[in-house]
Amino acid sequence: SSSSSSSSSSSSSSSVNEDDEDFVWRAIREEALRDAAVEPMLSSYLYASILSHETLEQSISFVLANKLADSTLLPTQLMEIFNSVLMAEGEGGRELREALRADILAFKERDPACIGYSHALLLLKGFHALESHRIQHALWTRGQDLMALAMQSRISAVFTLDIHPAARLGKGILIDHGTGVVIGETCVIGDYVSILQGVTLGGTGKATGDRHPKIGPHVLIGAHSTVLGNITIERGSMISAGSLVLKPVPPHTMVAGSPAKVVGKVRNQRPALAMDHHVTPMAPTFCADLEAAVRKQVQEENERWRARDESVRYTVLTADEKRRRRRDRR
């Protein structure tokens, strides 16, 4: 236990240490045991997917292989490929395993519909597509382009997400729901980014080379947003749902509209973690300006009517006073 504590203390604060790794896998197994007792009909499914495996890597290989397999790519073949990637030695293999655990934590912490760690592992296609991409990206960097592209085709068909194998994704990513998400070849996504359904991170046409967006850490991208071109979305910024972004976005800023414009500063410095879609306005909006102008006009009109009423009242009082004085003289 002393050696375990020393290794934990020596690990970087920004990475998932050994205790965290053990925690994620231990939590998944405990949930599977509990769920098997509650739903006996699912016990064989939970055993085959989780409880029969010694490591998280073996479990995710089994789950993804059975989802992506077809008549020509058998589950056993895919499991062999996936295990070779997930269990690889060296820095690349360690970073991939760390990202896998950080992704599970991201889904559990940021998606209120995710009721457990095992829920993300077994049931959420956004998570499945993300981890499948990590495997295909590793194959791409190994030079196995054809296998990586074949995986991309299967991922697109099965999970309805299209992520190019060359796209570089950080750790702690949330792809919520996932349907319709498109991420281009030269796209780079930083750590702890949250992406909702229908998001496109694409190019602007037939341009070649570096042509896709660069997404900084802790960015929140709303549903059905489109970001086009080699532009940078700086750290901690937020893109409102349905926006078309064609220009760079400054840090900790919210943009909205088509084309998107800056509408304010984000309330939380890490909107992707808080999943906070609210904004602190930087300047009055058109609606606010219109409302203020109408309010001012109404106020001025009321002032004019008040002055007119006072004038009429004075005239009436003056006439009454003259009549009273005439009566008194009589």
Side-chain angles (χ1 to χ4, degrees):
S1 59
S2 60
S3 61
S4 173
S5 61
S6 62
S7 64
S8 299
S9 61
S10 64
S11 62
S12 170
S13 61
S14 62
S15 64
V16 179
N17 59 35
E18 290 183 6
D19 288 340
D20 292 328
E21 293 180 6
D22 293 339
F23 162 74
V24 171
W25 179 232
R26 185 167 60 250
I28 289 172
R29 289 183 61 87
E30 289 174 355
E31 290 175 0
L33 286 169
R34 179 200 64 202
D35 293 342
V38 174
E39 291 286 355
M41 289 287 291
L42 295 177
S43 58
S44 59
Y45 167 64
L46 293 167
Y47 180 81
S49 301
I50 295 175
L51 298 174
S52 64
H53 304 289
E54 296 181 356
T55 66
L56 176 58
E57 289 74 24
Q58 292 174 341
S59 177
I60 190 65
S61 289
F62 178 88
V63 171
L64 295 181
N66 280 277
K67 287 186 176 295
L68 294 173
D70 61 12
S71 58
T72 56
L73 283 173
L74 303 180
T76 52
Q77 295 173 318
L78 290 176
M79 283 184 63
E80 184 177 352
I81 295 170
F82 296 171
N83 281 326
S84 71
V85 171
L86 292 168
M87 303 304 295
E89 297 181 355
E91 186 70 12
R94 185 193 65 78
E95 290 179 351
L96 196 156
R97 291 187 289 273
E98 180 181 319
L100 166 62
R101 287 160 173 81
D103 294 340
I104 292 178
L105 290 172
F107 276 79
K108 176 63 172 64
E109 293 170 357
R110 293 181 230 161
D111 183 359
C114 182
I115 60 177
Y117 301 99
S118 60
H119 184 203
L121 174 66
L122 296 176
L123 304 176
L124 300 185
K125 71 173 184 178
F127 176 77
H128 295 152
L130 177 60
E131 304 317 313
S132 299
H133 167 73
R134 296 197 185 282
I135 294 172
Q136 71 173 6
H137 180 71
L139 295 172
W140 181 270
T141 56
R142 286 182 182 182
Q144 295 179 256
D145 296 3
L146 187 59
M147 178 59 71
L149 292 170
M151 273 199 65
Q152 178 192 6
S153 177
R154 285 298 298 159
I155 293 168
S156 178
V158 174
F159 302 129
T160 66
L161 289 81
D162 193 357
I163 309 176
H164 193 281
R168 290 179 286 160
L169 276 62
K171 65 185 178 183
I173 305 293
L174 168 66
I175 301 181
D176 196 10
H177 302 293
T179 301
V181 169
V182 177
I183 301 176
E185 178 181 6
T186 59
C187 186
V188 179
I189 299 177
D191 296 338
Y192 308 110
V193 170
S194 294
I195 300 172
L196 277 72
Q197 70 272 18
V199 167
T200 296
L201 305 177
T204 55
K206 294 185 178 180
T208 58
D210 195 355
R211 61 194 183 279
H212 294 101
K214 309 297 180 283
I215 311 298
H218 301 111
V219 171
L220 172 58
I221 307 178
H224 300 286
S225 298
T226 299
V227 186
L228 299 180
N230 185 14
I231 59 176
T232 301
I233 312 301
E234 298 285 358
R235 95 169 24 242
S237 57
M238 178 167 53
I239 299 173
S240 179
S243 298
L244 171 61
V245 184
L246 302 174
K247 296 180 180 179
V249 177
H252 309 296
T253 300
M254 178 178 178
V255 297
S258 179
K261 297 180 180 180
V262 174
V263 296
K265 288 288 187 180
V266 296
R267 296 198 309 190
N268 189 297
Q269 294 297 294
R270 296 178 176 181
L273 303 187
M275 298 297 284
D276 183 1
H277 294 259
H278 294 88
V279 63
T280 301
M282 296 177 63
T285 63
F286 171 78
C287 291
D289 287 340
L290 180 61
E291 182 180 1
V294 171
R295 187 181 295 112
K296 182 179 179 181
Q297 183 179 0
V298 170
Q299 184 177 1
E300 291 174 350
E301 191 69 20
N302 288 338
E303 290 292 337
R304 283 196 293 269
W305 277 105
R306 191 175 296 112
R308 194 174 303 168
D309 289 344
E310 289 293 334
S311 177
V312 171
R313 188 178 297 109
Y314 176 77
T315 302
V316 171
L317 290 175
T318 301
D320 289 344
E321 181 65 21
K322 289 180 179 179
R323 285 193 292 271
R324 186 183 65 77
R325 289 178 181 179
R326 284 198 296 269
R327 285 196 303 268
D328 291 344
R329 284 198 293 268
R330 293 173 184 172

